[in-house]
Amino acid sequence: MTQLSSRTSADNYFENFEVGQVIAHARGKTMTEMDNVLLTNMVMNTAQGHFNEHLMNRSSGIPGFDTRIVFGGINFSLVIGLAAQDTGEQVLEELGMDKIRLKTPVHHGDTLYAFTEVLEKVEGDRSDAGIIRFKHFGINQEDKLVYEGERTVLMKRRSTWGDR
């Protein structure tokens, strides 16, 4: 039987990250109407801007807000999800999310891509793990910044958790 660690990426343990490192994550995801409507309903967000196209077409006159917009919670969750293969596989605990900023509206049909910068790497209280603070960025198909936020995690050490 193969070791469980052989089922995850080989280069995303605590030791593999360096402060200042920037990661361009491999995948993008196009935001569909189903993504917005289903998930926004599931979290009971009833804001008209997510559901009422007629109202949005008539109301604001503000560029980007003249059609339905995707709920921001979906946008930042998607960016974190796109980054997870590189920054989440060896996480033991999510310690916090901070400085979440939604910068540009996302619409149905927009494609999001994720990038991550390693901001900080410190020793943890545990010998088998360390703490890493990431800054995640979401960019749309026009290279406009749609999301930025920080995420702090307790990350496994290869020396304890990796194959020997």
Side-chain angles (χ1 to χ4, degrees), residues 84-152:
Q85 183 176 2
D86 299 315
T87 67
E89 285 188 330
Q90 307 305 337
V91 169
L92 291 169
E93 184 179 352
E94 296 283 344
L95 299 175
M97 299 269 249
D98 195 16
K99 300 180 183 171
I100 294 170
R101 300 290 181 264
L102 303 169
K103 307 295 270 182
T104 301
V106 174
H107 301 96
H108 305 151
D110 284 352
T111 300
L112 302 188
Y113 299 92
F115 297 83
T116 299
E117 179 182 2
V118 180
L119 296 179
E120 183 178 31
K121 181 178 167 181
V122 297
E123 301 299 319
D125 293 337
R126 297 171 52 159
S127 62
D128 66 340
I131 297 170
I132 299 180
R133 186 166 51 100
F134 296 112
K135 186 168 187 177
H136 297 292
F137 301 90
I139 307 293
N140 70 12
Q141 72 281 354
E142 297 171 351
D143 289 329
K144 291 182 181 174
L145 181 65
V146 300
Y147 165 81
E148 64 182 19
E150 295 181 12
R151 176 172 152 253
T152 305

